[in-house]
Amino acid sequence: MQAKEQQVRQGSNSLLDSLGGFLDAAFQVLSTYSATIVAGVLVLMTVVLVAGSSPVFRRFGFIGFITGVNWNPVIGKEAFGALPYILGTLVTSAIAITIGVPISLGIAIFLSEMSPWAVRGPVSQLIELLAAVPSVIYGLWGLFVFRFWVRDWIETPLSTYVGSLPVFSGSPFGLDVLTAGLILAIMIIPTVSSVSREVMLAVPNSQREAAYSLGATRWEAVRIGVLNYSRSGIFGATILGLGRAVGETMAVTMVIGNAIGPAAIPTSLLKASQTLGSLIANEFNEADPTSLHPAALIGLGLILFIFALLINVLAQLLVWKVLKVKRGSVE
Amino acid sequence: MEASPATIRLCETTGLGSRSCADHHSPHPQHYSQTGHQGKIWHDEVTNVTVELLIEKLKPENEKRVEPASQGEPMGPFKIRAEKLNAWFGQNHVLKDISIGFRENEVTAIIGPSGCGKSTLIRCLNRMHELVPGARTSGSVFLDGAEIYSKHVDAVQVRRTVGMVFQKPNPFPTMSVYDNVAAGLKLNGMRNQRKLDEAVLNSLKKAALWDEVKDDLDKSGVSLSGGQQQRLCIARALAVEPKVILMDEPCSALDPIATAKIEELIASLKEQYTVVIVTHNMQQAARVSDRTAFLYLGQVIEYGETTHLFENPAQELTERYVTGKFG
């Protein structure tokens, strides 16, 4: 009887085994395809962007396109130059980093070093919820609420007291480079603060203890024990934030004022401008497919794509490096 | 033989008979009193520790070699002294009413099995224990007679006077050798470059590292070998001119040669400092220390001169531990 039982079991086993073997193979194929698709999408995107923008590069040249300042889609009078929008993107992102990163670091230090355990979880969750808000909501809020705060509380005083400086010239209106930069600052806080928090939590306790044992106060222990140790990770978090700020489109489009051509060069914080993303969003709908206009917009897209790719690769490398140090001998 | 008032009180409270009480105060360290009591409690004059006799639980047949832990120890001038010190991690009571003193210009080793509270004890001496979430203490620690747990004392100041060296070398990885040593001084606000140079030089020399790193002061602190890193950490601790140096198993991550160098260094440090070293290596305790305290389950079981404690332990439990029968 025992032998029979064993036989039965063996029989069912071999059946299950062969089914399992098939499922295994199928799963392997499926997951390999999924992984390949990701790489394929990236390659296809590059191909489409390069192909789609080639007419404009053929007409104006790559250098001509990225250094040109005029923008005129009218057939016969075409002029396409991306410089103002490249600058607009860089300036708004710079504002976002300058304002968003210190706030994010404060949040990360609070969450990893200062806060009581009970507060830590809920606050981190809340901040990560900020990342879940769709960017069009930020845009609407920026357009109908935040814009007026910026105009009344920041731009009016700036214009009154330091308006003679070129960087603050212009009349406060609220739909300009500064507002766009501030909205972006808020939008990068979740990314930068959560990555920096992770990096700070990865700092071995022995570093904090080393600082405390030398008679460091709490802030000094954070400074020499934690911030020093995690500085390249924090830099990586900043670059990730920059990546988000550079690529962000919807919210910026709604508050930046949408200037075109030489007027879009961001010479003052209180001036309407345009970013690569916002110009594409604004004009793609009305671009005449028979003209060079779509190619020019795709060219902007290509530049944006290259920016975002470079920034993200850099950021990943930096964050990786930190997490490797954590497992290294330094501990 | 005179029984001090405290002794009489102790004998009363512990319920020991007067005969055994007299025996307890024999001046001869090798003398073992005989008591017939079960579950005895005794009080140690020097360390003032009440210890329930765990020994009996472990080896009930051996009741004869019972003696107050540090009989024959003179009441010396203690540089740093804990009194009725208790420490907790959350609900976990790690140190139980510990009273122990450490003398200047001596190396005191603290030995005991894992989890007995050795590290916690020294971390209470510079108020590092309280940095752990959920950790708390009660009782007192006196440094040169001043209570360090007083409300008027800043833990930061305590840690500048009572330095610490940790289990794993923990130099600041983003700083150079020089900056590592200067880190504590810079925290103290020293900005004078010449004074900094001088202090770094002296500390590295005291830590027996100068000759090896004098040409590499700008190299990263973590580019050194493990033993060098640990000596760098010692130099860093010495730079702030502490009076007491606590070492928490400083050689446990090092190879024998590096360990020998650190031990040599410890021996030279006692000329200037009070050194307390936690170690799980009994040979090391025997080699480097003048006195040794044996901790078990958060209590001081025995405390006395190292040679005496190792060669002629008064407590059965100590003997069993130092001969490697448990732990």
Side-chain angles (χ1 to χ4, degrees):
Chain A
M1 199 176 119
Q2 217 170 24
K4 199 175 172 187
E5 206 176 83
Q6 204 161 14
Q7 214 177 9
V8 170
R9 203 184 295 142
Q10 262 174 1
S12 70
N13 266 359
S14 64
L15 187 70
L16 269 181
D17 278 352
S18 60
L19 185 63
F22 171 73
L23 285 177
D24 253 10
F27 181 70
Q28 195 178 354
V29 170
L30 203 67
S31 54
T32 312
Y33 269 118
S34 313
T36 323
I37 285 171
V38 174
V41 165
L42 205 62
V43 172
L44 273 180
M45 247 182 216
T46 318
V47 169
V48 167
L49 284 174
V50 171
S53 58
S54 62
V56 81
F57 289 128
R58 241 177 284 141
R59 171 85 177 269
F60 300 101
F62 186 70
I63 302 295
F65 183 65
I66 62 171
T67 55
V69 295
N70 293 310
W71 191 267
N72 191 353
V74 176
I75 295 175
K77 297 179 178 176
E78 285 125 327
F80 294 110
L83 187 63
Y85 323 114
I86 294 173
L87 291 177
T89 303
L90 294 181
V91 169
T92 49
S93 301
I95 296 169
I97 294 295
T98 317
I99 291 164
V101 168
I103 295 173
S104 305
L105 283 187
I107 293 170
I109 291 171
F110 174 76
L111 288 177
S112 74
E113 308 297 320
M114 310 281 183
S115 66
W117 281 94
V119 178
R120 214 167 269 197
V123 174
S124 327
Q125 291 293 327
L126 271 177
I127 288 164
E128 277 171 32
L129 271 184
L130 275 182
V133 176
S135 65
V136 67
I137 305 294
Y138 278 106
L140 281 174
W141 177 71
L143 188 57
F144 292 117
V145 182
F146 190 63
R147 166 198 171 188
F148 299 107
W149 297 356
V150 175
R151 187 192 62 190
D152 297 342
W153 298 342
I154 303 175
E155 294 186 349
T156 306
L158 278 179
S159 166
T160 313
Y161 297 110
V162 286
S164 51
L165 295 174
V167 70
F168 297 121
S169 62
S171 55
F173 184 58
L175 293 179
D176 48 32
V177 176
L178 184 62
T179 310
L182 290 175
I183 287 272
L184 285 174
I186 298 169
M187 294 178 78
I188 65 167
I189 283 173
T191 315
V192 180
S193 66
S194 66
V195 175
S196 337
R197 187 200 58 189
E198 288 307 315
V199 174
M200 288 180 197
L201 286 175
V203 175
N205 232 344
S206 63
Q207 288 290 312
R208 298 180 182 88
E209 289 187 333
Y212 278 123
S213 76
L214 296 172
T217 60
R218 209 165 181 190
W219 158 242
E220 288 165 341
V222 168
R223 183 165 59 82
I224 71 171
V226 179
L227 291 183
N228 255 346
Y229 190 94
S230 55
R231 63 185 179 192
S232 62
I234 291 170
F235 189 59
T238 306
I239 303 291
L240 272 181
L242 181 64
R244 171 133 205 230
V246 164
E248 179 48 49
T249 301
M250 207 54 233
V252 175
T253 310
M254 292 165 86
V255 297
I256 199 164
N258 299 322
I260 292 287
I265 297 175
T267 51
S268 158
L269 293 182
L270 275 55
K271 215 178 131 183
S273 179
Q274 189 80 272
T275 65
L276 293 165
S278 67
L279 186 58
I280 298 171
N282 275 319
E283 296 200 346
F284 213 85
N285 230 6
E286 53 208 49
D288 179 354
T290 58
S291 71
L292 264 183
H293 197 186
L297 293 174
I298 294 171
L300 295 182
L302 181 65
I303 295 167
L304 184 57
F305 182 70
I306 293 169
F307 271 5
L309 219 57
L310 287 180
I311 288 168
N312 278 290
V313 167
L314 182 62
Q316 292 293 350
L317 286 178
L318 285 166
V319 173
W320 269 350
K321 198 181 136 204
V322 171
L323 296 180
K324 255 186 222 156
V325 169
K326 175 189 147 197
R327 279 178 232 113
S329 60
V330 181
E331 202 176 6
Chain B
M1 177 184 306
E2 279 182 18
S4 67
T7 314
I8 293 165
R9 184 177 52 76
L10 291 175
C11 291
E12 282 165 1
T13 54
T14 55
L16 295 171
S18 59
R19 192 186 60 82
S20 64
C21 196
D23 284 340
H24 276 274
H25 294 85
S26 157
H28 308 296
Q30 280 89 351
H31 180 97
Y32 302 113
S33 67
Q34 301 192 3
T35 60
H37 293 265
Q38 291 292 325
K40 282 160 268 338
I41 292 174
W42 26 259
H43 226 98
D44 159 9
E45 273 180 308
V46 175
T47 62
N48 209 15
V49 171
T50 310
V51 180
E52 279 196 88
L53 280 190
L54 300 146
I55 309 158
E56 255 67 20
K57 285 183 195 158
L58 288 156
K59 215 171 183 183
E61 74 272 20
N62 201 324
E63 291 179 3
K64 295 192 173 176
R65 301 178 60 178
V66 171
E67 188 193 23
S70 51
Q71 176 140 26
E73 287 295 326
M75 275 288 271
F78 293 128
K79 186 73 182 174
I80 187 164
R81 179 168 63 91
E83 200 172 297
K84 295 211 165 102
L85 184 68
N86 284 280
W88 290 264
F89 285 110
Q91 295 299 306
N92 190 9
H93 194 173
V94 234
L95 293 183
K96 294 163 188 162
D97 248 356
I98 285 198
S99 297
I100 188 168
F102 304 99
R103 288 171 180 75
E104 200 165 4
N105 304 122
E106 281 192 4
V107 176
T108 307
I110 299 174
I111 59 169
S114 300
C116 70
K118 308 183 289 283
S119 295
T120 309
L121 172 58
I122 67 165
R123 293 169 68 91
C124 285
L125 299 181
N126 67 344
R127 297 187 58 176
M128 291 288 282
H129 177 67
E130 67 198 41
L131 292 172
V132 180
R136 64 197 169 89
T137 57
S138 77
S140 311
V141 173
F142 297 97
L143 174 65
D144 283 327
E147 161 71 295
I148 66 167
Y149 280 95
S150 151
K151 271 182 192 161
H152 310 292
V153 175
D154 187 358
V156 166
Q157 288 306 322
V158 172
R159 293 180 202 127
R160 283 177 188 178
T161 320
V162 184
M164 194 161 201
V165 177
F166 298 85
Q167 204 165 344
K168 275 187 188 165
N170 56 354
F172 299 120
T174 57
M175 294 187 194
S176 65
V177 169
Y178 182 98
D179 287 337
N180 261 286
V181 181
L185 294 168
K186 285 184 179 163
L187 282 181
N188 289 350
M190 190 188 278
R191 291 285 175 270
N192 183 326
Q193 193 59 44
R194 254 191 46 220
K195 279 186 182 169
L196 276 175
D197 288 349
E198 209 171 289
V200 168
L201 172 83
N202 285 335
S203 310
L204 284 170
K205 276 187 171 165
K206 277 190 210 163
L209 188 61
W210 173 253
D211 291 334
E212 292 161 56
V213 299
K214 63 185 172 204
D215 300 322
D216 301 321
L217 291 178
D218 294 330
K219 270 169 72 175
S220 162
V222 288
S223 66
L224 304 177
S225 73
Q228 287 175 327
Q229 284 189 26
Q230 191 63 301
R231 277 178 284 150
L232 178 62
C233 293
I234 294 174
R236 182 177 65 187
L238 296 179
V240 289
E241 298 183 346
K243 292 173 180 164
V244 179
I245 297 168
L246 308 172
M247 296 186 163
D248 190 354
E249 301 192 14
C251 304
S252 63
L254 305 181
D255 63 70
I257 292 168
T259 301
K261 278 194 180 157
I262 303 262
E263 286 180 4
E264 216 173 283
L265 172 59
I266 292 169
S268 72
L269 287 179
K270 75 177 178 187
E271 285 165 21
Q272 258 187 295
Y273 307 94
T274 307
V275 181
V276 182
I277 173 171
V278 162
T279 175
H280 57 223
N281 178 337
M282 279 174 281
Q283 285 75 33
Q284 181 170 69
R287 283 191 301 261
V288 302
S289 70
D290 300 291
R291 271 163 228 277
T292 300
F294 171 53
L295 244 68
Y296 186 64
L297 296 179
Q299 293 174 308
V300 177
I301 302 297
E302 186 161 350
Y303 180 32
E305 282 178 20
T306 299
T307 44
H308 185 238
L309 189 133
F310 278 96
E311 286 162 17
N312 219 336
Q315 302 299 329
E316 173 63 20
L317 197 62
T318 313
E319 189 188 325
R320 280 162 52 79
Y321 183 72
V322 299
T323 53
K325 289 191 180 115
F326 85 102

